[in-house]
Amino acid sequence: MQAPDFAPFLGDPQILGEGNLVKGTLIGSRAQALRQSYGDRFVVDLSRRLSPQAARYLGDPPIPSTWNEFGPLIEIDCALLHGAFAGRMEKMRHFGADVARNDLTTIYKTMALGGSPSMLFKRFGLVFRTYFKYGDFSVRTVSDVSGTATLSGGGLPLYMCSQGISGWIEAGLALSGSRRIAVEHTTCRHRGALRCTWAISWG
């Protein structure tokens, strides 16, 4: 993992030090989203700037059902943030949305298609566990069209909790039929809070 250039993206090193494992599905989805958005040539060029293990994550993703090291995936994301995304962390929000659209129309389509936004909202904890081994992601319904989500633990980097997860939620709710979506990352462990929280509405 590279520093200090990427410290604004990664956040508090103590939180990152907690570590996590990621499912092969998330690694494969990232590779697929990059190919769809930028093309095969881009992925090949990006791979040349990565460590051998991170490059393998793009060229030959692990089996979807396996748990894998988090570090190489973070390396890929940091290379994107520093390169193609030109340091604009909000771009990771769009990337998170790309991953959601890929997964919720293929391997996880039963979670979104044919259901309501409120049904998908209630499944966010399950979705989190299909990507990350550690961390407790829970939701609380506030009204028929709104709720809050809370993440305890998990050791996620700043760009992922503040942008990537928000983008995934937005795209997921859109795929499940909502047209008025608001997702705000209201508190963050990297900003001193005990937990990460999101305020979500899907009118």
Side-chain angles (χ1 to χ4, degrees):
M1 198 176 302
Q2 303 181 53
D5 288 347
F6 299 120
F9 304 139
L10 296 176
D12 186 338
Q14 287 190 322
I15 293 172
L16 285 176
E18 295 172 5
N20 211 324
L21 295 175
V22 292
K23 211 64 171 290
T25 50
L26 182 57
I27 297 169
S29 295
R30 263 168 157 62
Q32 181 66 20
L34 285 174
R35 286 186 171 84
Q36 289 176 344
S37 297
Y38 300 101
D40 290 338
R41 181 61 179 270
F42 175 88
V43 174
V44 170
D45 290 343
L46 176 64
S47 297
R48 293 192 180 108
R49 301 196 298 272
L50 301 172
S51 68
Q53 186 174 5
R56 281 196 299 274
Y57 274 19
L58 292 179
D60 185 22
I63 296 170
S65 61
T66 60
W67 290 112
N68 304 271
E69 292 182 27
F70 198 6
L73 186 142
I74 293 176
E75 183 185 343
I76 293 168
D77 290 348
C78 283
L80 287 170
L81 283 161
H82 195 59
F85 295 171
R88 296 172 57 192
M89 196 157 69
E90 68 272 15
K91 286 279 193 177
M92 192 55 66
R93 195 179 188 107
H94 302 303
F95 192 35
D98 288 341
V99 170
R101 283 187 287 266
N102 180 74
D103 286 355
L104 290 173
T105 56
T106 55
I107 54 176
Y108 297 146
K109 63 182 178 181
T110 56
M111 291 186 180
L113 302 183
S116 66
S118 59
M119 185 179 297
L120 178 63
F121 171 78
K122 292 174 183 177
R123 293 172 176 169
F124 282 155
L126 173 62
V127 172
F128 183 87
R129 289 191 295 276
T130 65
Y131 288 134
F132 302 101
K133 187 165 187 178
Y134 305 116
D136 177 32
F137 196 97
S138 60
V139 299
R140 181 175 67 86
T141 300
V142 175
S143 74
D144 290 342
V145 293
S146 67
T148 60
T150 302
L151 174 61
S152 302
L156 301 188
L158 173 60
Y159 71 82
M160 193 171 286
C161 58
S162 68
Q163 302 294 330
I165 287 177
S166 297
W168 197 104
I169 291 171
E170 288 170 342
L173 291 172
L175 283 171
S176 63
S178 179
R179 292 297 174 264
R180 292 188 298 167
I181 303 163
V183 179
E184 181 184 1
H185 185 52
T186 49
T187 68
C188 185
R189 294 181 67 204
H190 291 280
R191 309 296 189 200
L194 293 177
R195 300 171 185 82
C196 281
T197 60
W198 291 260
I200 305 167
S201 62
W202 56 89

